[in-house]
Amino acid sequence: ANRARLDVLGAARRIEVPLLAVHGTEDPTVVPAAASRIADAAPRGEALLVTGGDHAMGAKHPLEAAEEIRTLQSAIDGTLAFALRTVGR
């Protein structure tokens, strides 16, 4: 039952709007190539690899300092650029 519910690639194939798969290059949990596989599965997918980003893009809870969220900001900037480039396409 969980296999179908957790089928990320299957879900990506069904997404009809632009999809941006954001992934950190230093993620110890999921390999960076996963972002490319997800983006490739989506009809309008792209991958954004954030250099130095980990699984949470440097975010900590609670956030300890602005410098520690540099990779998170990079992910946000890339996501915004993607949205601005693809809206209305």
Side-chain angles (χ1 to χ4, degrees):
N2 280 340
R3 180 174 286 189
R5 189 171 62 87
L6 301 175
D7 180 10
V8 175
L9 296 179
R13 287 183 194 98
R14 294 187 299 274
I15 294 176
E16 297 179 9
V17 297
L19 176 141
L20 182 64
V22 180
H23 200 95
T25 60
E26 301 303 317
D27 186 339
T29 307
V30 181
V31 296
S36 295
R37 288 194 297 271
I38 293 167
D40 290 345
R44 297 171 65 191
E46 290 184 26
L48 171 64
L49 293 179
V50 178
T51 302
D54 60 11
H55 197 69
M57 297 300 166
K60 308 260 187 270
H61 184 73
L63 294 176
E64 297 171 359
E67 183 61 29
E68 292 182 357
I69 63 168
R70 182 180 67 253
T71 56
L72 178 59
Q73 186 62 54
S74 180
I76 292 168
D77 292 345
T79 301
L80 180 59
F82 172 80
L84 292 172
R85 189 174 68 251
T86 60
V87 168
R89 284 190 2 191

